[in-house]
Amino acid sequence: QEYARMKDEHSEGLLQQNKYDEGVKKGKQEGIALGKQEGIALGKQEGISLGKQEGIALGKQEGIKENTKKMLVAGIELALVAKITGLSLEDLKSL
């Protein structure tokens, strides 16, 4: 009878260990899934932010070019246009 009791305790211990292992595995899977979701969301936010920054920078450059062309068409001296816009004389001549 003692042997049967010990065998039952051992079986119970193995069952508990299996449940523990399954719980750990499930927890890891859930953690990985949640981490992926958070990572994707963060990546999207960073991508949007970076896109906005690049768009603003390109818009500023285009605005400078447009205004520069208007100044040149209006006959404003190259040196003064370069000083106002921050562009080099070579850049101005290429417009």
Side-chain angles (χ1 to χ4, degrees):
Q1 223 174 18
E2 180 67 19
Y3 175 75
R5 186 187 62 75
M6 289 174 52
K7 188 175 176 184
D8 287 344
E9 286 178 0
H10 179 71
S11 294
E12 182 66 28
L14 288 176
L15 183 62
Q16 288 179 356
Q17 182 65 43
N18 285 340
K19 286 182 180 180
Y20 172 81
D21 291 343
E22 288 174 15
V24 168
K25 183 178 177 181
K26 184 177 178 185
K28 284 182 182 179
Q29 289 171 341
E30 290 174 0
I32 289 170
L34 181 60
K36 284 181 181 179
Q37 290 172 352
E38 290 176 0
I40 289 170
L42 181 60
K44 284 181 181 179
Q45 290 172 348
E46 289 178 3
I48 290 169
S49 176
L50 182 58
K52 285 180 181 179
Q53 291 172 2
E54 290 178 3
I56 290 169
L58 287 173
K60 285 181 179 179
Q61 290 173 354
E62 287 301 312
I64 289 171
K65 284 183 182 179
E66 278 185 40
N67 288 330
T68 301
K69 287 179 183 178
K70 288 177 184 177
M71 286 186 261
L72 294 173
V73 168
I76 297 175
E77 187 179 320
L78 282 179
L80 182 57
V81 174
K83 184 176 181 179
I84 292 170
T85 63
L87 297 174
S88 69
L89 292 176
E90 292 91 28
D91 290 339
L92 293 177
K93 290 175 184 176
S94 71
L95 296 175

